[in-house]
Amino acid sequence: AMSDDDQERQHFRKILAAFRHYRRYGLQQVADKLAQYNGLPERHKRLMGGNSGVPEHLARVRASIEHNAEMINLFIADANSIFDGDSPLSPCAGSEGSSSVQHQQLQVTSNDMDKVRSTIKQFARDWSLDGANERALCYEPMLREIDRLFSAENCPDRSEVRVLVPGAGLGRLAWEVARLGFSCQGNEWSLYMLFCSYFVINRCSEPNCFTLYPWVHQFCNNWSWADQLRPITFPDVSPADLPKSGSFSMAAGDFLEIYTEPEAWDCVATVFFIDTAHNIAAYVETIGRILKPGGYWINLGPLLYHFADVPGEASIELDYATLRQLVLGSGFELLTENTDIRCGYTQNEASMLRYEYRCAYFVARKPLRCGHDAE
């Protein structure tokens, strides 16, 4: 059996392999579509606008995919340095095994490609003007609440207030919290997200210096070809633009494994995160443990359980009423609750298809200890 370190290196290499496969995957998709078009009767091609229609569009799609692939090369250029040389996540640690077993396990699946494509869409949500609407719906309520709970009257020195954002994705919410002057840490498990957040935060020195085509793989529900080819520029702000006080960091790894220190955080902010659990009760328990007495948990999101229906993965799927009971039973008091915040997630504004979540939003407080209640 592989050691944990070997497994982590294997996982690391698999994610890199998926990113590197993007170009071939995308161009194959286009080649298949062109072949299907070329097989049509000439009269149908004529009716579709002949050579000024589909083939020209597919050529532009191909060029956009090539551009995305160039960007991906930049995203993964720093992969090895993201984790220190002695970290098990670093592929240079230990010897590189090249047994056939490892090569078989590096097969890139269509599921891996879905993850690469959705990571590209995360740039639109987190770091482009296209995502401003989603950020206003998802992040603004959080930021307003944190700003209010730790106002200047309550907290003269915000840099001493520690805020944790688990499931931080590409890091925008955590960055916004740090921009308010707090000490904020984002935590992310997905290497897809970590490689890309590292790039945005450490390699983007000025606003709108890079371009991506996040919708280029969406061949359906387009009003016009131009919508599929719509570029975004990122980042819409300069990531270096943080106040001198406070701090901002990203931590890689599993939320339950990393955050074990009791009473270490003043606030935990979870957006579209709690349903990524195998067992949501373990998340609630950990949040309760790591918060200081009197600390706050702010949550917003649906219950699209991440591991539901994934073969071989455990998943406990609670309804909201039971989750609410679990939160209260874990000792939290609910200060605020709104069960109808409507928002999308990496939504293509120009598409004929819109997904909308009705999210639950709540602010919960861990009680201050009474004298006899010490653990």
Side-chain angles (χ1 to χ4, degrees), residues 77-216:
D78 285 314
N80 291 345
S81 59
I82 294 181
F83 307 104
D84 308 320
D86 57 353
S87 153
L89 280 171
S90 170
C92 28
S95 60
E96 292 283 288
S98 60
S99 68
S100 58
V101 178
Q102 286 189 309
H103 283 306
Q104 278 163 12
Q105 280 164 329
L106 284 178
Q107 289 288 307
V108 175
T109 64
S110 61
N111 185 31
D112 298 330
M113 294 322 299
D114 284 347
K115 291 194 172 131
V116 172
R117 290 199 315 237
S118 64
T119 307
I120 291 172
K121 288 191 262 182
Q122 286 287 335
F123 281 91
R125 174 181 168 85
D126 257 17
W127 294 101
S128 86
L129 276 175
D130 270 41
N133 191 19
E134 274 183 32
R135 291 195 299 275
L137 294 169
C138 297
Y139 299 167
E140 283 306 321
M142 296 287 205
L143 294 164
R144 274 198 305 273
E145 189 62 43
I146 294 170
D147 202 34
R148 193 183 68 76
L149 293 171
F150 301 99
S151 63
E153 301 88 86
N154 311 346
C155 297
D157 184 4
R158 282 189 162 182
S159 67
E160 306 215 319
V161 176
R162 302 186 68 209
V163 181
L164 176 63
V165 180
L170 294 191
R172 180 64 180 259
L173 177 60
W175 182 87
E176 292 283 0
V177 172
R179 189 152 75 152
L180 293 174
F182 298 103
S183 288
C184 186
Q185 181 164 89
N187 161 239
E188 180 54 55
W189 175 83
S190 162
L191 286 175
Y192 293 98
M193 298 288 185
L194 284 163
F195 292 160
C196 294
S197 62
Y198 183 91
F199 178 81
V200 173
I201 290 154
N202 297 292
R203 296 285 175 261
C204 294
S205 46
E206 60 211 57
N208 300 312
C209 48
F210 293 107
T211 302
L212 275 171
Y213 297 91
W215 320 115
V216 67

Side-chain angles (χ1 to χ4, degrees), residues 190-312:
S190 162
L191 286 175
Y192 293 98
M193 298 288 185
L194 284 163
F195 292 160
C196 294
S197 62
Y198 183 91
F199 178 81
V200 173
I201 290 154
N202 297 292
R203 296 285 175 261
C204 294
S205 46
E206 60 211 57
N208 300 312
C209 48
F210 293 107
T211 302
L212 275 171
Y213 297 91
W215 320 115
V216 67
H217 300 283
Q218 296 193 0
F219 285 91
C220 305
N221 288 312
N222 292 307
W223 289 107
S224 79
W225 292 141
D227 293 338
Q228 185 180 358
L229 299 170
R230 204 172 79 242
I232 58 155
T233 56
F234 73 92
D236 61 313
V237 288
S238 166
D241 186 17
L242 288 172
K244 290 286 167 269
S245 67
S247 69
F248 170 52
S249 61
M250 288 284 285
D254 182 316
F255 172 63
L256 295 177
E257 287 173 22
I258 296 184
Y259 297 99
T260 54
E261 189 192 335
E263 302 184 4
W265 299 90
D266 297 283
C267 179
V268 176
T270 51
V271 178
F272 280 77
F273 171 69
I274 55 171
D275 54 355
T276 65
H278 289 282
N279 168 12
I280 198 166
Y283 273 14
V284 176
E285 180 180 52
T286 293
I287 292 167
R289 185 186 314 123
I290 67 177
L291 275 175
K292 296 175 185 170
Y296 299 94
W297 171 22
I298 310 174
N299 175 71
L300 184 150
L303 294 174
L304 177 75
Y305 290 98
H306 191 81
F307 291 106
D309 310 317
V310 177

